[in-house]
């Protein structure tokens, strides 16, 4: 192992990934300067609650902070907040900031995350049309909620579904629109999308699918009043939230030799990029996956932390722990959805539980050629943890679907001899 | 503090949790190596019921987002929870549980 690394570590992105990398470097003995650069004005914070608890309450922003201000002082992490990185010079090993300052680095960690896709729909700039990414976004949305009667959510991905659930819980009549056939259609597939559909429709949400939005229409005061669909239908909207995906925040890196994969920074599983001394972690990355033989994006809370810690290990020469499986959660109403692993449309699904009972616990196992690729749980966190050790193993589907089989006792089966 | 006897307590299996009502509080209880541990049954992150989780290596793991708390001190071992869990002194004597809660 190498001696504790020194030099200057510049971390671009005062995000969960960026802050985690900064603290992890210090905790692993890095004794050089650590500079954490962020475009947003405040301390790094965690975003999951923005579409749920934060939106639904008067929770203060300091409840979201990754660490409080004192922790940065104690760990001698220099903060450069409200000053976005604008250019990377990989030859000279420096980063330029919007303020004009140029920061030389020995090690660079990029954790700039993603920004919301902003579809070019007429009227998207109207007052009352919101997007949700930052605390500022959440605050402006939250300010509109008192007395709000109806809202249209554009997008039925995780963010759209969570916002629809939160608004519904607050008594707002919600219509959610998406071009796909059902909620979470892409990440979960048709069968499980049907389950999520029931969560929403049983609570009064109107789901409109297989149609795109053609315009946001204003009222006399130039505030949004309705959403017009491609077939001419109009949906009344006192408020609109658009959640239609994200783009990795890599525009400032486009003129560099950094290897981008559909806009994301291609990294190995320890966060190394193709450039010496340059690492990346969090939503901005696409991580090489040996199993799938391609880069995969893991845009979730746990992935940001894991990747940032692996980057800190790589920089300081700390042995890497075994790779943790990608995982995420989503809360909608009183349903708690958990997921671990990585599946695609080619996987077979084995269910434990009845998807026609939308309020009962359920486990869904995704199998690729007989091997467990991923597990999804609904209100089944304990069983999900028990099943996750089987991910990557050959398993007997009949045992997975049988609720009387204790997942702790389930052992992988040897692959059949050929 | 006042000490409360919990009538009809049945110790959960190792690694499991059960709930008890003590002085209007809903507590989660686990027994590890003969010692009882009691704490609020609501995770400090999103208030999920910890009794639906499990205990591993001296930590209770929330079933919703897998935050882990030390069962002796309530300190957060892994997030997403940030605030410590409130723990209560519990004693198991001949199968009978007593818990101390603030008055």
């Amino acid at each position: 192992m190498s001696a504790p690394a020194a030099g200057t570590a510049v971390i671009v992105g005062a995000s969960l990934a960026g802050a985690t990398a900064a603290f992890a470097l210090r905790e692993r003995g890095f004794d050089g300067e650590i500079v954490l650069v962020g475009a947003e004005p405040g301390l790094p914070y965690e975003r999951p609650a923005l579409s749920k608890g934060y939106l639904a309450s008067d929770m203060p922003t300091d409840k979201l902070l990754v660490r409080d201000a004192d922790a940065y002082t104690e760990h001698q992490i220099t903060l450069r907040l409200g000053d976005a990185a604008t250019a990377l010079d990989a030859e000279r090993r420096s980063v330029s900031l919007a303020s004009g300052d140029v920061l030389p680095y020995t090690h660079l960690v990029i954790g700039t995350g993603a920004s919301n896709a902003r579809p070019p729909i007429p009227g998207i700039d109207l007052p009352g049309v919101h997007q949700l990414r930052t605390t500022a976004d959440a605050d402006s949305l939250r300010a509109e909620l008192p007395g709000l009667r109806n809202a249209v959510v554009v997008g039925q991905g995780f963010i759209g579904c969570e916002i629809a659930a939160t608004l519904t819980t607050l008594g707002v009549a919600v219509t959610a629109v998406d071009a796909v056939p059902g909620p979470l259609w892409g990440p979960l597939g048709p069968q499980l999308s049907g389950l999520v559909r029931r969560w929403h429709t049983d609570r009064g949400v109107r789901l409109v699918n297989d149609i795109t939005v053609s315009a946001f229409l204003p009222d006399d005061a130039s505030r949004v009043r309705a959403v017009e669909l491609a077939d001419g239908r109009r949906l009344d909207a006192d408020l609109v939230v658009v959640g239609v995906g994200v783009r990795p925040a890599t525009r400032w890196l486009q003129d560099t030799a950094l290897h981008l994969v559909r806009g994301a920074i291609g990294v190995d599983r320890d966060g190394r990029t193709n450039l010496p001394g340059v690492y990346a972690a969090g939503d901005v990355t696409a991580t090489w996956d040996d199993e799938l033989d391609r880069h995969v994006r893991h845009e979730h809370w746990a992935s940001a932390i894991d990747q940032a810690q692996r980057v800190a290990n790589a920089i300081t020469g700390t042995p890497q722990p075994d790779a943790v499986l990608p995982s995420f959660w989503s809360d909608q109403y009183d349903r708690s959805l958990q997921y671990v692993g990585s599946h695609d449309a080619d996987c077979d699904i084995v269910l434990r539980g009845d998807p026609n009972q939308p309020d009962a616990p359920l486990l869904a196992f995704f199998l690729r050629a007989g091997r467990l690729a991923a597990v999804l749980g609904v209100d089944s966190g304990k069983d999900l943890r028990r099943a996750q050790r089987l991910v990557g193993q050959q398993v007997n589907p009949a045992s997975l679907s049988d609720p009387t089989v204790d997942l702790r006792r389930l052992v992988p089966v040897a692959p059949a001899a050929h | 503090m006042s000490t409360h006897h919990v009538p009809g307590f049945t110790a959960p299996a190792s690694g499991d949790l059960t709930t008890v009502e003590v002085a209007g509080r809903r507590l989660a209880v686990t027994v590890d190596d003969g010692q009882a541990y009691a704490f609020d049954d609501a995770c400090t992150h999103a208030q999920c019921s910890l009794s639906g989780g499990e205990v591993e290596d001296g930590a209770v793991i929330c079933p919703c987002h897998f935050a882990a708390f030390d069962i002796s001190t309530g300190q957060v071992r892994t997030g997403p929870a940030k605030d410590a869990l409130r723990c209560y002194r519990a004693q198991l004597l001949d199968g009978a549980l007593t818990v101390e809660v603030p008055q």
Side-chain angles (χ1 to χ4, degrees):
Chain A
M1 281 302 116
S2 54
T8 298
V10 171
I11 301 170
V12 178
S15 54
L16 175 60
T20 301
F23 285 99
L25 277 172
R26 213 43 111 201
E27 284 156 7
R28 285 154 180 72
F30 183 86
D31 58 7
E33 193 183 358
I34 300 177
V35 184
L36 182 56
V37 178
E40 285 185 67
L43 289 171
Y45 58 92
E46 302 186 15
R47 301 186 198 275
L50 293 182
S51 54
K52 303 181 277 279
Y54 186 85
L55 194 56
S57 71
D58 54 0
M59 184 188 286
T61 45
D62 61 10
K63 284 297 235 185
L64 305 176
L65 296 181
V66 177
R67 302 287 289 266
D68 63 22
D70 291 345
Y72 294 86
T73 311
E74 284 161 17
H75 288 76
Q76 295 181 287
I77 296 166
T78 305
L79 294 168
R80 295 288 302 258
L81 303 176
D83 199 357
T86 54
L88 163 67
D89 186 335
E91 300 272 308
R92 292 187 182 158
R93 290 199 173 208
S94 68
V95 172
S96 302
L97 306 184
S99 60
D101 289 354
V102 176
L103 304 179
Y105 64 80
T106 318
H107 317 277
L108 174 66
V109 183
I110 302 171
T112 40
S115 46
N116 288 335
R118 196 165 176 80
I121 299 170
I124 194 161
D125 294 323
L126 288 174
V129 179
H130 292 258
Q131 295 203 281
L132 182 57
R133 182 84 198 163
T134 63
T135 51
D137 294 337
D139 289 343
S140 78
L141 183 53
R142 201 158 71 168
E144 295 230 51
L145 299 183
L148 182 69
R149 291 169 307 162
N150 65 59
V152 172
V153 176
V154 180
Q156 295 175 3
F158 285 108
I159 288 295
C161 284
E162 289 183 355
I163 292 170
T166 300
L167 294 181
T168 302
T169 305
L170 294 172
V172 179
V174 175
T175 304
V177 188
D178 202 310
V180 299
L184 302 180
W185 188 268
L188 300 190
Q191 190 173 20
L192 293 163
S193 173
L195 174 70
V196 177
R197 170 175 289 277
R198 286 283 303 275
W199 297 351
H200 290 276
T201 55
D202 284 0
R203 290 163 178 86
V205 176
R206 182 176 166 207
L207 296 178
V208 179
N209 288 94
D210 298 305
I211 189 96
T212 56
V213 170
S214 57
F216 302 109
L217 305 176
D219 62 13
D220 294 340
S222 293
R223 185 192 155 86
V224 73
R225 178 182 59 83
V227 175
E228 187 177 79
L229 303 178
D231 61 2
R233 271 183 293 170
R234 288 184 180 185
L235 309 170
D236 286 342
D238 294 336
L239 177 127
V240 172
V241 189
V242 180
V244 291
V246 301
R247 304 280 175 269
T250 53
R251 181 168 297 207
W252 65 290
L253 297 165
Q254 274 171 359
D255 296 329
T256 67
L258 200 61
H259 178 216
L260 298 182
V261 182
R262 290 183 301 282
I265 301 173
V267 293
D268 70 10
R269 72 174 201 178
D270 297 335
R272 288 183 195 85
T273 71
N274 62 312
L275 298 179
V278 181
Y279 302 79
D283 285 7
V284 78
T285 63
T287 307
W288 181 257
D289 187 313
D290 280 336
E291 174 91 0
L292 298 174
D293 200 34
R294 61 182 167 87
H295 286 92
V296 180
R297 299 196 61 208
H298 301 294
E299 304 162 72
H300 299 288
W301 180 90
S303 319
I305 292 175
D306 181 55
Q307 292 175 345
Q309 289 175 338
R310 297 187 83 87
V311 165
N313 292 340
I315 290 174
T316 56
T318 307
Q320 295 286 6
D322 289 342
V324 298
L325 294 165
S327 67
F328 64 81
W329 75 77
S330 177
D331 300 331
Q332 298 171 38
Y333 311 100
D334 51 355
R335 305 287 86 181
S336 174
L337 183 155
Q338 306 96 357
Y339 179 98
V340 61
S342 183
H343 82 279
D344 56 28
D346 295 336
C347 288
D348 299 315
I349 301 181
V350 173
L351 296 178
R352 176 181 285 215
D354 181 359
N356 296 314
Q357 290 183 28
D359 291 330
L362 180 86
L363 285 169
F365 301 93
F366 297 87
L367 293 149
R368 186 182 292 116
R371 288 206 304 161
L372 189 61
V375 189
L376 176 140
V378 176
D379 295 339
S380 301
K382 187 156 67 173
D383 276 338
L384 184 101
R385 288 188 76 251
R386 290 170 177 175
Q388 73 176 18
R389 69 186 170 82
L390 297 168
V391 171
Q393 311 280 344
Q394 292 276 342
V395 283
N396 178 358
S399 303
L400 293 177
S401 64
D402 181 352
T404 65
V405 174
D406 187 333
L407 291 167
R408 285 172 294 189
R409 301 193 202 296
L410 202 59
V411 290
V413 295
H418 290 288
Chain B
M1 288 290 162
S2 61
T3 303
H4 295 259
H5 297 270
V6 181
F9 176 75
T10 308
S14 176
D16 279 350
L17 299 111
T18 187
T19 57
V20 298
E21 295 279 343
V22 177
R25 294 164 195 263
R26 184 180 157 93
L27 308 183
V29 178
T30 188
V31 177
D32 190 21
D33 203 15
Q35 169 67 49
Y37 298 87
F39 32 85
D40 284 335
D41 188 33
C43 178
T44 63
H45 170 239
Q47 284 69 55
C48 290
S49 178
L50 291 170
S51 55
E54 58 190 330
V55 176
E56 221 175 67
D57 301 327
V60 57
I61 296 150
C62 176
C64 284
H65 311 119
F66 310 129
F69 303 90
D70 188 297
I71 57 171
S72 318
T73 65
Q75 291 302 307
V76 176
R77 281 209 196 154
T78 55
K82 302 210 169 286
D83 297 329
L85 182 67
R86 183 163 198 164
C87 295
Y88 303 85
R89 187 186 296 268
Q91 241 187 347
L92 196 58
L93 260 181
D94 298 330
L97 179 71
T98 55
V99 182
E100 282 182 30
V101 298
Q103 279 175 322

